[in-house]
Amino acid sequence: MEKSAFNDSFEKARIEKGYGEMNDQDDPVKMVLRHKDVRKCAHNYKTFTSAAVPGRIVVPSEVNIRKTRQIPFELDPPIHGLYREIVTPWFKRPLEADYQEKLTLQISAIVDRALENDSVEVVNEFALPLQSRALTLLLNTPYTNAETWISWGTHVFRSEGEALDGDKANILYDYIDEQIEIALEHPGEDMYSVLLSSEVNGRKLTKEEVKGVLVLTFAGGRDTVINAVTNSIAYLAEHPEALERFRNEPEITGKAVEEFIRYFSPLTQMGRVVTEDTQICEHAIKADSRISLCWASANRDALVFENPDEIVLDRKINPHVGFGFSHHNCLGATHARQILKILLNTLAAKVGSIEIQEYKENIENLDQFRRKVGFDSINVKFNRLN
Ligand code: EMZ
């Protein structure tokens, strides 16, 4: 099997039953596996709420390490929409030419640096710095802030080999509290200041609400972006003809980004809490239990995608749910898409081939299912395009 191949461990359960089950810190989860059902449940926020106790809709649950409600992510319509409206223009800034120019400079510098080395560990030496530097653009804060964020490692709530790490989470919370105080004293053009001066229902956002948006921005777009970048590079190492194609047909890179998101599904699933006794695939589900919308499974559903286990760079019809679906579709998607698109274009312009040297896969253990989400580490050599 190719090193860049990602198995679909949900296939059998998806076809036979439509759902899977996993335990998670004694708060079990029924995983919804079919594309159609995932979309239906995502839409039905009345029966499947996001506004549960903070952290409970995340799998693995974060109730033990987090009290702050992530906004707008852990709210339901209609309140959700009020907050979403406030933050949307800010999160659309990656569409601006100036933002894209800065991002291109950052990514070019990282690729140039990589070309000078005989071995680059992509997760920590390429994808993590790329993610953190790009985040300075999203937050509109000084470039040097990225150094602090890089030192936190690939996941802000987890350390190597540990499911969840409360001490590590506290570093992030304290950092955000501190930045909020600084922004209150010296308001600027950064995301903290902009949110602190925003209004909802005729009043200013509270510090706790601003913190909720920032925690989401730091946590939600971290390992997901890092995995998407790393996995794309692993794929290009084994498919140098794809780089050639991006050079000859630059118009397909947008489609290729969507296809990578579908195939890699950087976020496996997202939970909801059930508000009333109901059913999923004729299976009874009790009120106050948890379900998850398994994006990774839905994205391989053969009823929707032709040759679902193949990467088709210019896939024509691609209704993937890699960025979620319905009200809660990914707020950071515009930023993430730009990162990947610029990365593919930059690699195509500068890199002829990539050799994988050694690697360690990152496998998620979901009880019944074992899913590769990326790599703990992967060393490669980037070869210059002649
Ligand atoms: C939450 C989640 C959001 C969660 C879109 O996903 O991402 C996870 O990585 C975080 O741990 O807190 O932000």
Side-chain angles (χ1 to χ4, degrees):
M1 190 146 123
E2 289 184 331
K3 301 177 183 80
S4 61
F6 282 62
N7 67 324
D8 167 22
S9 64
F10 308 108
E11 185 179 16
K12 191 163 178 283
R14 182 175 60 240
I15 293 170
E16 288 176 3
K17 293 195 302 187
Y19 67 91
E21 291 171 272
M22 66 175 277
N23 189 16
D24 170 27
Q25 303 160 71
D26 297 322
D27 193 4
V29 182
K30 293 253 156 60
M31 306 164 73
V32 180
L33 300 177
R34 294 177 184 150
H35 190 274
K36 183 168 140 251
D37 297 326
V38 163
R39 297 220 291 192
K40 217 166 82 189
C41 295
H43 214 62
N44 182 1
Y45 62 87
K46 290 203 170 127
T47 307
F48 306 110
T49 183
S50 293
V53 176
R56 195 170 172 219
I57 64 165
V58 183
V59 186
S61 167
E62 293 171 356
V63 288
N64 293 321
I65 58 155
R66 177 153 70 77
K67 297 281 168 280
T68 298
R69 180 173 299 282
Q70 292 186 11
I71 295 178
F73 164 64
E74 292 176 313
L75 291 170
D76 287 329
I79 299 173
H80 166 265
L82 298 178
Y83 290 92
R84 180 93 189 197
E85 219 173 277
I86 296 174
V87 293
T88 295
W90 184 264
F91 279 87
K92 291 271 184 224
R93 284 158 50 251
L95 294 175
E96 294 167 9
D98 179 51
Y99 193 104
Q100 292 177 14
E101 268 165 41
K102 288 184 184 146
L103 192 52
T104 304
L105 286 176
Q106 288 186 356
I107 292 178
S108 290
I110 290 175
V111 172
D112 287 343
R113 179 91 200 272
L115 280 163
E116 285 163 15
N117 286 300
D118 292 333
S119 179
V120 177
E121 199 287 285
V122 179
V123 178
N124 287 288
E125 297 170 7
F126 191 105
L128 172 61
L130 193 161
Q131 184 276 341
S132 295
R133 289 175 192 156
L135 189 61
T136 63
L137 295 177
L138 190 60
L139 266 54
N140 201 25
T141 59
Y143 180 74
T144 47
N145 282 1
E147 294 311 313
T148 306
W149 308 339
I150 291 167
S151 75
W152 294 341
T154 49
H155 199 288
V156 284
F157 294 148
R158 274 174 244 167
S159 34
E160 233 36 75
E162 251 182 280
L164 292 164
D165 182 340
D167 293 339
K168 195 167 180 187
N170 284 328
I171 297 178
L172 174 69
Y173 306 149
D174 291 347
Y175 177 87
I176 294 174
D177 286 338
E178 198 184 310
Q179 298 304 311
I180 288 176
E181 292 305 328
I182 295 174
L184 278 171
E185 263 181 52
H186 309 283
E189 307 274 286
D190 54 278
M191 183 168 159
Y192 306 92
S193 305
V194 169
L195 289 175
L196 285 165
S197 66
S198 299
E199 291 193 359
V200 64
N201 275 339
R203 59 148 180 95
K204 289 255 162 67
L205 290 190
T206 64
K207 287 193 222 178
E208 181 66 10
E209 287 167 333
V210 172
K211 184 176 179 179
V213 181
L214 264 306
V215 175
L216 174 61
T217 308
F218 272 103
R222 193 156 179 94
D223 49 331
T224 43
V225 169
I226 291 170
N227 283 332
V229 166
T230 306
N231 299 344
S232 303
I233 289 177
Y235 173 82
L236 295 173
E238 293 185 306
H239 298 271
E241 75 284 357
L243 285 170
E244 180 76 34
R245 251 192 107 179
F246 297 149
R247 279 191 284 278
N248 297 332
E249 301 165 71
E251 66 282 2
I252 72 162
T253 49
K255 287 205 179 75
V257 167
E258 299 309 314
E259 180 65 347
F260 285 152
I261 297 292
R262 179 191 74 83
Y263 184 82
F264 298 131
S265 294
L267 185 70
T268 302
Q269 57 187 334
M270 186 47 72
R272 295 287 189 267
V273 172
V274 181
T275 57
E276 57 192 346
D277 289 357
T278 184
Q279 286 195 341
I280 279 168
C281 301
E282 284 144 38
H283 180 79
I285 315 257
K286 282 243 165 290
D288 199 41
S289 63
R290 298 203 293 163
I291 66 155
S292 83
L293 314 172
C294 189
W295 319 118
S297 167
N299 281 342
R300 298 293 181 98
D301 193 331
L303 295 177
V304 178
F305 304 99
E306 233 175 86
N307 302 325
D309 298 325
E310 250 174 63
I311 292 197
V312 180
L313 290 175
D314 60 351
R315 189 179 282 277
K316 304 284 176 309
I317 302 165
N318 196 349
H320 73 77
V321 288
F323 285 121
F325 182 71
S326 194
H327 314 279
H328 288 282
N329 69 66
C330 178
L331 192 56
T334 315
H335 177 72
R337 286 185 163 116
Q338 284 306 327
I339 289 179
L340 289 173
K341 198 169 169 195
I342 293 172
L343 176 68
L344 297 185
N345 287 333
T346 308
L347 291 171
K350 294 176 185 263
V351 176
S353 64
I354 303 167
E355 295 161 47
I356 298 177
Q357 295 161 331
E358 46 183 325
Y359 65 99
K360 196 167 159 264
E361 294 182 336
N362 175 0
I363 310 280
E364 249 179 11
N365 188 349
L366 309 163
D367 281 353
Q368 260 185 282
F369 311 107
R370 288 173 59 76
R371 167 168 201 255
K372 176 167 153 190
V373 278
F375 297 87
D376 285 335
S377 66
I378 174 167
N379 283 74
V380 309
K381 162 116 176 58
F382 289 90
N383 298 314
R384 211 173 284 280
L385 177 69
N386 295 313

